[in-house]
Amino acid sequence: RMKPVPPERMPGERKLEGAIAYEAALDELIANAAHTVRIFDNNIGRNFNMPQRYELLRKLLLGNRTNRVYIVLHETANITGDCPRLMLLLKQFSHAVSIHRTLPEARRVYDPFAIADDTRFVRRFHYDVVRGVATVGDVAATQLLLKRFDEIWHASAPSVPATTVGL
């Protein structure tokens, strides 16, 4: 009798209803990333300051010195105040963590998403709505989102420096 394949290995899509489901899917995505996580959103939520998310990102970054985390946001003003753990990662792994803010030409993008490597993603339909999907193993759909992320990345600029300079 064959053993069932673990869910993270099966290609497919599952619906996400609500903030808790979306945040859990995002943590699962980060936990299963082998080398790169790309995140696009309107702004960064306080979940990026939760110990669990910090540890998942830290583990990824410690896994290999070539591992990377790219974050692009429409609004970045709250990061230093709301997410000291994310700021700590930015400082500890300044070579590997980049946070950008979209330029005006990319501000019309409204569907947040995160991609791990080139095999999985989570996506919300609109940043005001917490419904979305988590997809594993759909390489074609993931490639389209990777291309979209690259376009957004190129229409953004570095926003949050690894060090904060006071007066």
Side-chain angles (χ1 to χ4, degrees), residues 105-123:
E105 59 264 31
R107 297 267 160 83
R108 292 182 311 277
V109 182
Y110 57 82
D111 55 328
F113 59 89
I115 309 165
D117 307 324
D118 54 2
T119 56
R120 64 173 63 233
F121 64 86
V122 294
R123 190 178 67 131

Side-chain angles (χ1 to χ4, degrees), residues 13-135:
E13 180 177 282
R14 73 178 193 272
K15 289 182 178 160
L16 302 172
E17 295 285 343
I20 292 170
Y22 182 80
E23 294 298 336
L26 188 53
D27 284 340
E28 181 185 327
L29 176 127
I30 295 166
N32 283 287
H35 51 80
T36 307
V37 171
R38 294 170 178 87
I39 297 167
F40 164 71
D41 209 330
N42 186 45
N43 57 23
I44 204 92
R46 289 181 185 266
N47 285 317
F48 277 86
N49 197 48
M50 299 299 279
Q52 177 185 349
R53 175 107 13 113
Y54 168 81
E55 286 302 327
L56 289 171
L57 289 166
R58 188 171 178 277
K59 183 179 174 198
L60 171 68
L61 293 165
L62 286 170
N64 190 312
R65 55 188 310 269
T66 61
N67 290 357
R68 296 289 182 264
V69 174
Y70 301 100
I71 301 172
V72 185
L73 306 165
H74 287 322
E75 299 301 328
T76 58
N78 71 313
I79 294 176
T80 51
D82 290 349
C83 300
R85 284 188 177 97
L86 183 58
M87 291 303 297
L88 185 60
L89 285 175
L90 188 61
K91 189 174 183 180
Q92 288 176 326
F93 301 95
S94 58
H95 68 284
V97 179
S98 301
I99 302 176
H100 279 204
R101 183 170 188 247
T102 53
L103 298 171
E105 59 264 31
R107 297 267 160 83
R108 292 182 311 277
V109 182
Y110 57 82
D111 55 328
F113 59 89
I115 309 165
D117 307 324
D118 54 2
T119 56
R120 64 173 63 233
F121 64 86
V122 294
R123 190 178 67 131
R124 291 195 334 256
F125 303 124
H126 193 283
Y127 52 71
D128 289 335
V129 179
V130 286
R131 284 186 14 255
V133 293
T135 303

